[in-house]
């Protein structure tokens, strides 16, 4: 560590001691929230900001909150032009419940992709088609050499359905539970996924086919060496939620003023 980093660490430790000496942690947990994602409309046209906003900032409290022991999230829609007086040295986070709740600073390189619903979200008729091996063959898909050759449904889920990793929009990554739609607490309409905060950008095995083209080599190398340069290439943010699951943030499509919710899957 540099002398400056040492000083910051010491100062943060002193602040934490001071805070704990002063009071036990209050029930509503007013610890500093941490930045989790900052998304610009110019990079991600899929965002649907309210009014003149063109910037989404997602923060969370890095402590487990009920229900389901997960960080409490907060969304801030802003107009980027109005964000001025930015701190040259933002405060260092010094309280987290879990190392996986402290994101590693990353620069985004968003990429538009096409994905399909999880097989659990398909209609019975569509599911029959997905499970029909001859259809895959007729379409020229390389199912035969896949590790999922005996189960076309798994082939579909691994290669085409709900892309793994951090994403805006898209389909829910079911798996911890059966499909579990979220409904707005104000107007009762079905909510839509806004952001998926993922523990891994891709899964092992054939799931590595989802790695960006420029990271394919690292993705496949990681399979034999475990980690590259001390960091797993499939975990650039070092964020882990649930049991290496996904946290999906849902919003009401009827009104950005209605409260968001989140779900671990
Ligand atoms: Zn909290
Ligand atoms: Zn609503």
């Amino acid at each position: 560590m540099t002398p400056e980093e040492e000083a910051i660490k010491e100062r943060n430790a002193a602040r934490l001691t001071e805070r704990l000496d002063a009071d036990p942690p209050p029930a509503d947990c007013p610890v500093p929230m941490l930045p989790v994602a900052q998304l610009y409309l110019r990079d991600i046209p899929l965002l649907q900001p309210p009014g003149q906003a063109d910037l989404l900032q997602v923060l969370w409290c890095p402590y487990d909150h009920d229900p389901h022991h997960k960080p409490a999230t907060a969304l801030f829609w802003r107009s980027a032009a109005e964000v001025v007086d930015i701190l040259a040295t933002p405060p260092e986070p010094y309280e987290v419940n879990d190392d996986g709740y402290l994101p590693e600073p990353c620069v985004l390189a968003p990429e538009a992709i096409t994905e399909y619903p999880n097989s659990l979200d398909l209609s019975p008729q569509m599911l029959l088609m997905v499970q029909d091996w001859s259809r895959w063959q007729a379409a020229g898909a390389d199912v035969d050499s896949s590790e999922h050759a005996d189960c076309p449904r798994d082939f579909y889920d691994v290669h085409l359905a709900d892309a793994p990793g951090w994403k805006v929009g898209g389909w829910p990554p079911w798996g911890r539970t059966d499909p579990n739609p979220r409904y707005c607490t104000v107007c009762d309409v079905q909510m839509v996924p806004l952001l998926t905060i993922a523990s891994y950008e891709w899964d092992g095995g054939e799931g590595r086919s989802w790695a960006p083209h420029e990271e394919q080599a690292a993705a496949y190398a990681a399979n034999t060496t475990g980690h590259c340069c001390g960091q797993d290439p499939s975990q650039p943010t070092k964020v882990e939620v649930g049991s290496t699951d996904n946290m999906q943030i849902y919003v009401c499509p009827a009104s950005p003023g209605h409260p968001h919710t989140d779900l671990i899957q």
Side-chain angles (χ1 to χ4, degrees):
M1 274 198 282
T2 66
E4 281 132 19
E5 286 169 335
E6 284 284 4
I8 289 169
K9 194 180 166 198
E10 273 174 33
R11 190 197 62 205
N12 287 342
R15 273 201 204 156
L16 178 57
T17 307
E18 204 175 285
R19 183 190 295 261
L20 294 178
D21 283 348
D23 289 299
D28 59 351
C29 194
V31 305
M33 299 192 94
L34 299 183
V36 174
Q38 174 164 273
L39 309 174
Y40 288 89
L41 180 62
R42 62 170 186 256
D43 294 329
I44 307 174
L46 197 63
L47 290 170
Q48 293 184 309
Q52 297 301 306
D54 58 1
L55 171 64
L56 171 63
Q57 294 175 323
V58 180
L59 284 78
W60 69 20
C61 168
Y63 271 76
D64 286 328
H65 283 248
D66 288 329
H68 310 308
H69 311 294
K70 53 184 164 41
T73 52
L75 308 183
F76 298 92
W77 289 103
R78 309 180 70 179
S79 169
E82 289 170 10
V83 180
V84 291
D85 297 332
I86 296 167
L87 294 178
T89 51
E92 291 284 316
Y94 58 93
E95 295 181 13
V96 291
N97 207 169
D98 186 298
D99 286 346
Y101 296 165
L102 177 59
E104 180 77 11
C106 291
V107 176
L108 284 179
E111 186 181 355
I113 57 161
T114 300
E115 60 165 18
Y116 296 88
N118 187 290
S119 64
L120 291 168
D121 271 329
L122 295 178
S123 67
Q125 295 86 344
M126 190 64 80
L127 191 54
L128 280 176
M129 290 165 68
V130 160
Q131 288 170 324
D132 182 351
W133 188 77
S134 64
R135 282 179 183 269
W136 291 97
Q137 276 193 316
D142 191 15
V143 183
D144 291 342
S145 63
S146 164
E147 64 195 42
H148 305 292
D150 58 341
C151 185
R153 178 175 176 168
D154 286 350
F155 181 85
Y156 168 84
D157 275 326
V158 168
H159 290 281
L160 294 173
D162 61 271
W166 288 57
K167 66 185 176 188
V168 169
W171 294 95
W174 306 124
R176 283 287 162 202
T177 68
D178 280 346
N180 183 7
R182 312 274 84 196
Y183 294 95
C184 178
T185 53
V186 175
C187 69
D188 214 30
V189 306
Q190 186 168 343
M191 301 175 90
V192 294
L194 172 72
L195 175 70
T196 299
I197 297 165
S199 296
Y200 286 92
E201 287 299 304
W202 57 82
D203 302 325
E206 291 183 11
R208 288 169 296 175
S209 65
W210 283 106
H213 284 296
E214 63 274 22
E215 290 175 25
Q216 288 278 337
Y220 284 86
N223 197 38
T224 49
T225 61
H227 290 73
C228 169
C229 317
Q231 189 167 353
D232 187 334
S234 70
Q235 224 178 5
T237 64
K238 293 191 178 174
V239 163
E240 281 193 21
V241 284
S243 302
T244 61
D245 295 318
N246 303 287
M247 179 192 271
Q248 202 162 43
I249 294 179
Y250 285 82
V251 289
C252 174
S255 170
H258 294 173
H260 75 284
T261 190
D262 52 46
L263 181 70
I264 297 278
Q265 275 292 323

